[in-house]
Amino acid sequence: MNTMKTNLTLLFLLVMMISCQPKKSDSIEMSVAEAAKIDNIEDCAADTVKATAIFWIDKVETKHCKEYGFVFPSSDIYDGLGAVYDYGQMGVELKNNIKKYWWDSMVLLHENIVGIDSAIFMHPTIWKASGHVDAFNDPLIDNKDSKKRYRADVLIEDQLAKYDDKINKEVAKAAKRFGETFDEAQFRSTNGRVLEHQTKRDALHTRFAKALNDNNLDELRQIIVDEEIVCPISGTKNWTEVRQFNLMFSTEMGSTSDGAMKIYLRPETAQGIFVNYLNVQKTGRMKVPFGIAQIGKAFRNEIVARQFIFRMREFEQMEMQFFVKPGTELDWFKKWKEIRLKWHKALGFGDASYRYHDHDKLAHYANAATDIEFLMPFGFKEVEGIHSRTNFDLSQHEKFSGKSIKYFDPELNESYTPYVIETSIGVDRMFLSIMSAAYCEEQLENGESRVVLKLPAALAPVKLAVMPLVKKDGLPEKAREIIDALKFHFHCQYDEKDSIGKRYRRQDAIGTPFCVTVDHQTLEDNCVTLRNRDTMQQERVAISELNNIIADRVSITSLLKTLQ
C-alpha cells in the first residue's frame, strides 16, 4: 500500500524546509541526507521550528486531543486554568497503559525493585533537608516591551539549538549536492562554515555551562545580551535582570490560622521514597542493591509553562530510586542509562528519535546526570532523567530528623549510607511524545484521506472495535456476543453509527489497532472481517480465533518481552 504521509515529528526533522509537503514513502523515518534530497531548503530554520510547533499545537492540542477525548483544558467551561489539563476518556486509558508499561517493567522484570505510594503532604522539614526550600529555583528574565517572562537558561539553550540548525543545514545542502559519495564526518571536520558555527556554539556552550555551575545570574543575562537574543513576542532585546524564583506551592495545615503549619505540595515524588527507604528495606528484607518505584502527582509553580502538556503546574511522575553500595554508583548509572533507553526504543518510534543529553550543570545532590530526549515537533526535549544522587538525600534526612537510616550490609558486616541512582520520567511528557510520534495524516491512493494515531498496540486506549455492518438482521446481537467474550481480555468498543468507512476513520483517529466487521455471512460461517489499522488490510478469520490473534499483539507483555 502506497500512501502519502505527513507525520508531525517528521516536519521537525525537515525543519529547514519552508513548505513541508508530504513525502511519498512507506516509512515516516528520514535521515539528514534523505531530507536533503527534497527541494525548498532555505535559511529559516528557527522560523520553521516555530511554525511547526504552532501547527502541531493547533492540529493536536486544540483539535485532535480535545475532539477525540484525549486531553481537555481544565475548568474548560470557566475558560480554563493556565497550564492545567484534564485527561479525557481516551487520554486516561492511554495514560494508564503508559504507567502500566513502566510499572511492570520495573517491579515485574526486576526482583529487587518494589513499589510504594507515599503521601503528597509531607512534613515541611523534609523539603528543608532536601534543599528545595533554599535551592529549588528557576532563573527568570522579563522582556520590558512584551511584558513576557522567560527562563534565561531556556533562551540560551534555544540559541545553542540555532547553531545546531545552521550546521545541520550546511550538512543537508552538501548531502544533496554530493549524493551517495557524501562523507558527512569529513564535511563536518573541514567545511569552513560548519567549523565557524561549531566554534561559536562551543564557545557559547562553555560560557553557559560555567555560568550555570557558578549560579552567576549576571553572566546569564550578559550571554543573552551578547548573543543578541530577542524576545519571541516583541522582537526586542530590552531585558530585565535575571532573578531566581522558587517553584514550590505552599499551603497551610491546621484548624486555625494561629495553629496552622506551613506545608508544601510536593515538587517531586522522590523524597517520599527516601524517607521510607529503611521501612521498605526492613519489612521487605531487601539487600543492596535494590530499588523502590513510585507513580504519583507532583506540583511546580511554573512561571513559563508552555507547549501544551509538556510543562504543567500539576503533573505526574514515574520515579525509581535504586540504592547501591558507595563506589559502585557510576557503574549502575551507566547500566540504568542503557536500560531506560531500551525501554523507550521498544515503542518502535525509531532510534533516531532519541538521544542522551548530559547535564551542563549538575544538581546540588548529583555527581552524574543525563536526560533521555525525544524528538518532539518543537525539537529534542527531555522525557526522562537519570541521575546519580550520591548519598545526599539520605544523609540530609538523617541529619535533619536526628535518626539513623544507615543500611547494615551483612556481607561486609558494616553499616553505610547507600548511594542512589534515580530514573525519573514525566507521564505527561511521555504521553505527549507518544501522541506527537503517532499522529499521522495520510492521503490514500483512492483520493481519500485519513488521520490515524499509530500508537503502539499495547498502549492504545481501545484494542478492538466490533462493528455490525447494519443495525438489523441479528448483526448487532452477534457483535455483542463477540464483545462479551473478549472484553475480559482487552478493551473493546462497540460501534454501529454511520457507514463502515466512517467508523473505520473514527477508530483510526483514536489509534484502535484492530476492527472487526460482522456481516450477514458471519451468521452462516461464524467468521468476521478483521482489519489492521496501519496497513488497512482485511482478512476473514473465525470468531473463535480472534482472542488468539489479537491478545498477544495488544498486551503489555508483548512489549515487556522485548526488554529481556
Side-chain angles (χ1 to χ4, degrees):
M1 178 192 69
N2 290 320
T3 60
M4 298 285 284
K5 300 181 180 180
T6 302
N7 178 273
L8 293 171
T9 302
L10 175 58
L11 289 180
F12 184 83
L13 287 172
L14 304 179
V15 72
M16 291 165 290
M17 297 176 57
I18 290 298
S19 179
C20 296
Q21 299 298 324
K23 180 180 183 293
K24 193 168 186 177
S25 170
D26 287 329
S27 172
I28 63 172
E29 297 176 17
M30 185 175 293
S31 66
V32 172
E34 288 173 323
K37 297 176 184 177
I38 300 177
D39 296 327
N40 295 334
I41 295 177
E42 299 184 16
D43 265 330
C44 53
D47 289 341
T48 307
V49 172
K50 184 176 180 181
T52 302
I54 293 172
F55 170 80
W56 184 84
I57 292 295
D58 180 61
K59 281 281 187 180
V60 179
E61 176 192 353
T62 62
K63 293 182 180 177
H64 199 86
C65 279
K66 186 172 182 180
E67 180 179 353
Y68 289 97
F70 282 92
V71 182
F72 307 132
S74 182
S75 314
D76 198 15
I77 63 173
Y78 291 95
D79 299 324
L81 184 64
V84 183
Y85 292 89
D86 300 331
Y87 286 85
Q89 68 277 14
M90 291 299 155
V92 72
E93 292 290 342
L94 174 57
K95 193 178 183 186
N96 285 339
N97 289 338
I98 293 171
K99 290 190 285 187
K100 180 170 176 55
Y101 174 42
W102 181 87
W103 186 266
D104 288 354
S105 73
M106 289 293 180
V107 302
L108 294 188
L109 300 189
H110 301 92
E111 295 181 7
N112 60 344
I113 296 179
V114 296
I116 66 167
D117 183 10
S118 65
I120 290 174
F121 292 140
M122 295 193 292
H123 196 286
T125 307
I126 286 175
W127 304 112
K128 186 70 175 177
S130 68
H132 282 82
V133 171
D134 298 320
F136 194 56
N137 306 305
D138 272 347
L140 301 180
I141 189 169
D142 293 353
N143 182 267
K144 297 178 182 178
D145 297 319
S146 68
K147 311 301 182 185
K148 294 295 182 181
R149 180 168 291 171
Y150 303 92
R151 280 180 54 177
D153 56 332
V154 172
L155 288 175
I156 299 172
E157 288 171 355
D158 289 345
Q159 182 71 3
L160 286 168
K162 289 181 181 180
Y163 284 121
D164 290 334
D165 290 340
K166 290 178 180 179
I167 293 171
N168 289 334
K169 171 187 168 294
E170 296 294 339
V171 172
K173 288 197 298 186
K176 178 184 178 182
R177 185 165 62 251
F178 294 110
E180 295 181 358
T181 63
F182 178 61
D183 186 332
E184 183 174 332
Q186 182 181 10
F187 180 81
R188 286 179 179 270
S189 63
T190 58
N191 180 266
R193 287 186 295 274
V194 169
L195 292 175
E196 179 185 355
H197 294 318
Q198 189 66 51
T199 299
K200 291 180 179 179
R201 186 204 183 281
D202 291 343
L204 173 59
H205 181 270
T206 300
R207 187 180 176 190
F208 176 46
K210 186 177 188 304
L212 285 178
N213 283 309
D214 295 344
N215 198 28
N216 190 335
L217 302 184
D218 291 336
E219 176 66 1
L220 287 177
R221 183 185 185 278
Q222 194 58 47
I223 291 173
I224 292 172
V225 172
D226 292 345
E227 289 290 324
E228 298 185 343
I229 297 174
V230 301
C231 170
I233 304 299
S234 67
T236 67
K237 295 172 280 190
N238 192 11
W239 298 107
T240 65
E241 299 301 313
V242 178
R243 302 182 304 280
Q244 293 283 22
F245 181 84
N246 193 279
L247 301 178
M248 286 199 296
F249 284 105
S250 64
T251 186
E252 292 183 343
M253 178 179 287
S255 56
T256 64
S257 59
D258 292 338
M261 174 190 293
K262 182 179 181 180
I263 61 172
Y264 300 94
L265 298 181
R266 64 183 181 192
E268 65 177 19
T269 62
Q271 299 305 320
I273 294 177
F274 294 134
V275 298
N276 277 297
Y277 113 92
L278 202 59
N279 289 333
V280 173
Q281 186 271 317
K282 289 181 177 179
T283 58
R285 296 173 295 145
M286 311 295 291
K287 293 183 178 180
V288 168
F290 72 94
I292 302 175
Q294 178 171 213
I295 299 175
K297 287 291 186 77
F299 307 84
R300 295 179 185 177
N301 191 14
E302 297 279 3
I303 297 302
V304 191
R306 59 179 182 175
Q307 293 164 335
F308 194 23
I309 59 173
F310 181 78
R311 192 181 301 280
M312 299 194 297
R313 295 184 171 95
E314 175 187 340
F315 55 97
E316 198 161 11
Q317 290 182 307
M318 303 184 292
E319 294 195 323
M320 192 279 296
Q321 309 297 330
F322 196 73
F323 302 90
V324 303
K325 179 183 175 182
T328 66
E329 72 275 6
L330 294 182
D331 291 333
W332 281 108
F333 174 75
K334 181 179 178 181
K335 182 178 179 66
W336 276 107
K337 279 178 61 176
E338 296 171 353
I339 292 173
R340 294 308 305 147
L341 186 59
K342 186 176 182 180
W343 183 89
H344 287 276
K345 288 183 176 180
L347 295 174
F349 293 130
D351 292 359
S353 296
Y354 301 92
R355 72 180 186 188
Y356 290 122
H357 177 250
D358 294 332
H359 286 204
D360 293 319
K361 177 186 178 181
L362 293 176
H364 59 278
Y365 51 73
N367 65 356
T370 195
D371 294 334
I372 294 176
E373 295 184 335
F374 183 79
L375 185 57
M376 304 280 195
F378 37 84
F380 274 102
K381 298 294 181 180
E382 175 196 353
V383 291
E384 177 163 7
I386 299 103
H387 314 110
S388 176
R389 297 182 72 122
T390 67
N391 64 353
F392 172 83
D393 297 278
L394 296 181
S395 296
Q396 285 292 99
H397 290 308
E398 186 172 67
K399 173 183 174 181
F400 277 75
S401 69
K403 298 180 176 63
S404 175
I405 54 176
K406 287 182 170 59
Y407 167 77
F408 177 75
D409 192 325
E411 295 182 2
L412 299 177
N413 196 32
E414 66 178 51
S415 297
Y416 56 78
T417 303
Y419 275 42
V420 179
I421 305 301
E422 172 185 71
T423 75
S424 177
I425 179 169
V427 182
D428 310 280
R429 290 187 178 188
M430 191 68 201
F431 183 104
L432 184 65
S433 69
I434 290 172
M435 287 292 290
S436 68
Y439 183 91
C440 191
E441 297 179 359
E442 293 185 346
Q443 189 69 33
L444 308 179
E445 288 182 334
N446 62 5
E448 296 181 358
S449 63
R450 71 167 182 161
V451 172
V452 56
L453 280 185
K454 296 193 173 182
L455 299 168
L459 302 185
V462 178
K463 313 301 186 187
L464 175 69
V466 182
M467 310 171 180
L469 188 61
V470 294
K471 294 187 288 185
K472 59 182 180 179
D473 302 333
L475 301 189
E477 290 76 11
K478 191 67 175 179
R480 290 289 184 186
E481 286 181 19
I482 295 173
I483 285 185
D484 288 341
L486 297 178
K487 66 184 179 183
F488 299 101
H489 304 282
F490 41 78
H491 191 182
C492 302
Q493 186 175 90
Y494 177 84
D495 194 351
E496 66 177 15
K497 184 182 178 183
D498 299 321
S499 69
I500 198 70
K502 288 184 178 180
R503 283 181 269 174
Y504 281 153
R505 296 293 172 263
R506 195 155 54 231
Q507 295 300 326
D508 289 341
I510 63 173
T512 305
F514 297 102
C515 292
V516 157
T517 302
V518 177
D519 54 29
H520 293 91
Q521 186 66 28
T522 303
L523 303 179
E524 299 178 12
D525 60 12
N526 267 335
C527 290
V528 292
T529 300
L530 180 65
R531 175 189 182 267
N532 182 285
R533 175 197 66 200
D534 296 340
T535 66
M536 294 189 288
Q537 292 180 348
Q538 302 181 13
E539 59 179 323
R540 293 291 288 184
V541 301
I543 293 175
S544 59
E545 291 299 313
L546 283 175
N547 187 48
N548 294 333
I549 295 172
I550 298 172
D552 185 59
R553 301 184 196 179
V554 302
S555 70
I556 295 292
T557 302
S558 64
L559 271 179
L560 296 177
K561 287 179 178 178
T562 66
L563 303 179
Q564 293 297 292

